[in-house]
Amino acid sequence: MKSIVIYILHSLLLFSNILYSQDTLNKPVVALVLSGGTAKGLSHIGVIKTLEEIGIKPDIIVGTSMGSIVGGLYSMGYSTEDLEKIALNTDWYKYLSNDTDLRKINIEQKDEFSDYLFDFIIKKKKPDPGKGLVYGHELELYLNKITYPANKYDNFDQFPIKYRAIAVDVLKAEKYVFKDGPLAVALRSSMSLPTIFIPKKYNGKLLVDGGVLDNFGVDVALENGADIIIGSNVGRMNLDEEQLGSFPKLFWLITMIGSKQNYDKYKDSVDVLIEPPVLDLGTRFDKAAEIMKIGYETAQKHKKDLLAIKRKLDEYENKPVRNIRFNKNQVYPITDININGLKNKNYKKQLTTFLKKKLGRRVSHQMIKSEIDDLYGSGEFAYINYSLSKTPGKNEYKLILNCQQLPLNTFGVGIHYSDQVDFGIIGSLTSRNYLLPNSKFNIKGRVSKYPYVSQYFTKYFLDQTRFGIRQSFYYFNDRISIYEGNNKLTAYDRNFIVPGFNIFVSQTKNSLMNLGYKYTLSSYKDVFSYAFEDVTESILQKNTLFLLYYFNSIDDKYFATTGNIFKAKLSYNFFPVIEQHFKNNEYEEEVYPDYLNIQFRWENYFSLNNNWTWENGICAEYSGLSDVPFILKTKTMGGMFPDNEYQSSFWGFPDNYLITANKFVVRTGLRYRFEKNIYFRTLFNFGISDNWKYHYGGGFAAIIKTPFGPVIAGVTKSLEYKYPVIHINIGVIQK
C-alpha cells in the first residue's frame, strides 16, 4: 500500500513538473523593434525606460540604423542610465562628420587638415567622388570602444537579450541581418546612410543603412519567433503633402520607399506601436535630452497596453535578470594579427611584426586605438578600423586591421571669402609616389581677385614621414594700404614669389624641426595716381637661411579647447637688394646690409568648462630694422583673419594697417559655445611696434561651424583707429 501511495505521489509530481515546464516553454516571446531615424532614434531610450519601469524585459531586440545602436548596446548589457549618458555626452556631430582630433594628425598635415568641403579621388585623369562623403574612421573607432566588452560572446544569441541588426547589401540589393560577428561592424553597417557614409565592406558584402529596405524590422522579429511585438518607430512614412515641407524630407521619403512598403505590410503585426513625434529633430543631437523625454512621454501614453502585456507575462515563470558590469579596460588574448588594405607587402610585414611586439598577447581597446591613431596621423590613410575575430568556444582572438590607403592622386575643393581678398575657390592636388617612391607632390591654390599658389615636393627617407627633404614654391598677391592715423594715403598691390628647399625632422606627431633656404622676390606697386614717399614701385630680392621649430598640440584647427601652438624661427637674410621707382620716372638700386630676424609665436587654449574656452597668445618679431624702406619690413599688422604668413592679426585695425619691422603683440580672450555649432568670441590685444609705439584694440565675433569651414562676422575697435572695423570670413583661415 505504501509503495502504491509513493508511486501515485511521484506520478503527480512528475506530471506537475511536465505541466510547469510546458508553461515555461510556452511563455510568449517578446520582441522590441527599434526603427532608424538619426537623432530621432535617441527617443528609443525613453521608450526602453518606460518598459523597465513596467517590468517588461524583451527576449529579442531588432534594430535598424540608430535603433541598432540603442538596441545593440541595451542587448549587450548597458542600462538605460548608461544609454542616457552616452546620448548626452557623445559628440555625435564629430563622429558622423569624421571630425578627427587634430592631436592625432602628423605635424606636416595639421595646417591643411579639414580645409576642404569635398575630397575627390583622381581616376583616369578625372575626379571621382567615390561612394560617399564620410569614411567613418572616427565613428567606427567609437563604436569599437563602446562595444568592446561584447567581443566575449560567440554570437548575438548569447547576449543578455537576443539581438539582430538590419543592413542592406547593395551588391545583391537585399536585406542582410546580423546575428553574429563584431557588434561594432553590425552597428556601423546598419547606419551607413547612402551617399553620406562609405558603404561598409564585410564578408564579401557592401553594406549600407538597413533603412533603405527595412527601417522597422517587424518581419525580422517574426522570423525569430516573436509572439508579442512592441515597436518604437520614429521613421514615420505616412506623410501628407504639407508634412513633406522641404526637399530633404522629400528626398528622404524617396530613398525609403522600400522601407515604407515593408512597414505597411507588417505594421498590423505590432501589438503596441509607439511613434514619438520627433519628425523635425532628425539632425538635432544637441536636443538629445528633449528627444529622450519625448520618447518616454509617448511610451507612457501606451502604459495601459503595456501593463496588459506585463500581466500576461506574469502568468509565466520569470527568468532571472542578468546584471552586466563592464570593465573599461577589458582585455582579450590575441593569438594572431591580420592587416588588410596595405599595398606595400614589406611595410605590411614590418607593421605586423611591430604590432605583435608592441601589443603583446592581451590587449584593450585603448591599446589598439593608440596604434591606429599613430598610423592614421601619417595622413596616408582614408580610414583604419579594427575588429576582433573570436574562435568559437575558446578564449582566443585574432586582431584584424582594415586599412584604406589614400589613392595616388587626390583632389580637394573648398571655398573662401573675406572682406580682405573677396570670394575665392580653393583647390588642392596631392600625388603620392609621383616621381620617386615614398614621396609626395602637392599644389594648392586660390582662384580669386587676389590669388595664391603654394607647391611642394617631398622625399621621405624613414617610415611614417619622420625625416625628409622638401622643395617648395610660394606665390601670393594681395593689397595693402598706407595709413596716416585714420587717413588712407595710398595702396599697393603686393606680390611675393618665394622658391626654396629645406630639410625637416619630426620626432613626434606634434613637433617639427626645419632647416632651409629660400629666395624672395617681392614687389609693391602703387595703384593710385599719387604715391607714398614718391615711390610708385619697390622690388626686393633677398636670400634667407632659416631654422624653424614648430609645435602644435591643439585639438581642433578652428575651435581648439586645449593645447598649444609654438613657433620659433631664426632667419639670416643676406644680399638684400631693393630697386625703387619714383613718380618722376627715376629709379635707384641699393644693397642693404645683411640682418638677422627672430620670430616667435605662442597660442594657448584652456577649457574652463564644456562651453567656455580661454585663449591667450603672444606674437613677436625683431629684426633691428627701423629706418629702412617699408618693403624690407615685410610683416603687416591688422585684421581679424591673417590671410598669409606675412600678415599678423591685430583686432581693432583694418587689414594690413600697420607696417613694422619689430613688433610685440599679446592677446587674451574668451570663446563661448552657445549651441553645438554656434560660438561667440571676444578678444583684447595690446601691441608694441617700431620706435616703441603702443597699440590697444579688441572686439567681438559670432561664429558658425559649417562643413566648409567657419563662417565668422566680427567687429573690432582700437583707440588709435577711430572707426569700428567689420570683418567677414567664410571658409578656410590661414593659420
Side-chain angles (χ1 to χ4, degrees), residues 260-371:
K260 184 182 185 310
Q261 293 172 341
N262 202 65
Y263 173 81
D264 292 339
K265 182 177 179 180
Y266 289 102
K267 67 177 180 180
D268 292 337
S269 299
V270 181
D271 296 273
V272 180
L273 179 58
I274 303 168
E275 294 189 308
V278 289
L279 188 62
D280 295 322
L281 298 173
T283 60
R284 298 305 303 270
F285 286 99
D286 56 314
K287 301 285 186 181
E290 178 184 336
I291 293 170
M292 288 187 289
K293 183 180 179 182
I294 292 173
Y296 176 79
E297 292 174 347
T298 306
Q300 289 289 317
K301 295 177 182 178
H302 295 268
K303 198 168 183 178
K304 181 180 177 181
D305 295 331
L306 294 172
L307 285 170
I309 293 175
K310 178 64 168 65
R311 286 193 293 271
K312 185 175 181 179
L313 296 175
D314 285 343
E315 298 174 5
Y316 300 87
E317 179 191 22
N318 291 319
K319 295 180 181 179
V321 176
R322 295 176 62 183
N323 293 317
I324 306 299
R325 291 291 179 265
F326 295 142
N327 178 4
K328 292 183 179 179
N329 297 314
Q330 179 83 40
V331 295
Y332 296 108
I334 302 299
T335 57
D336 196 11
I337 296 176
N338 277 4
I339 301 177
N340 302 319
L342 276 180
K343 298 175 183 177
N344 189 315
K345 293 182 179 179
N346 290 330
Y347 183 48
K348 179 178 178 179
K349 185 177 179 181
Q350 291 173 6
L351 183 58
T352 303
T353 304
F354 170 78
L355 288 176
K356 284 182 177 179
K357 274 187 183 179
K358 191 80 177 285
L359 293 176
R361 286 186 54 82
R362 300 180 66 84
V363 299
S364 65
H365 163 76
Q366 189 55 45
M367 293 168 66
I368 300 171
K369 182 178 177 295
S370 177
E371 299 305 322

Side-chain angles (χ1 to χ4, degrees), residues 48 63 123 131 136 140 208 238 401 439 547 569 612 699 717:
I48 294 173
K123 285 186 176 180
K131 304 179 184 70
E140 193 154 347
V208 298
N238 295 322
L401 285 185
S439 68
L547 178 65
K569 187 176 182 180
W612 287 94
K717 182 70 176 67

Side-chain angles (χ1 to χ4, degrees), residues 494-512:
R494 181 168 67 160
N495 291 274
F496 279 78
I497 297 175
V498 187
F501 66 88
N502 60 78
I503 300 171
F504 65 88
V505 177
S506 175
Q507 292 183 331
T508 71
K509 66 178 66 175
N510 292 328
S511 64
L512 181 75

Side-chain angles (χ1 to χ4, degrees), residues 637 650 653 657-658 685-690 693-697 720:
M637 286 173 54
F650 192 88
F653 289 164
Y657 173 80
L658 185 66
N685 45 211
F686 161 75
I688 304 174
S689 63
D690 288 344
K693 188 174 182 180
Y694 298 96
H695 313 278
Y696 304 88
E720 184 175 338

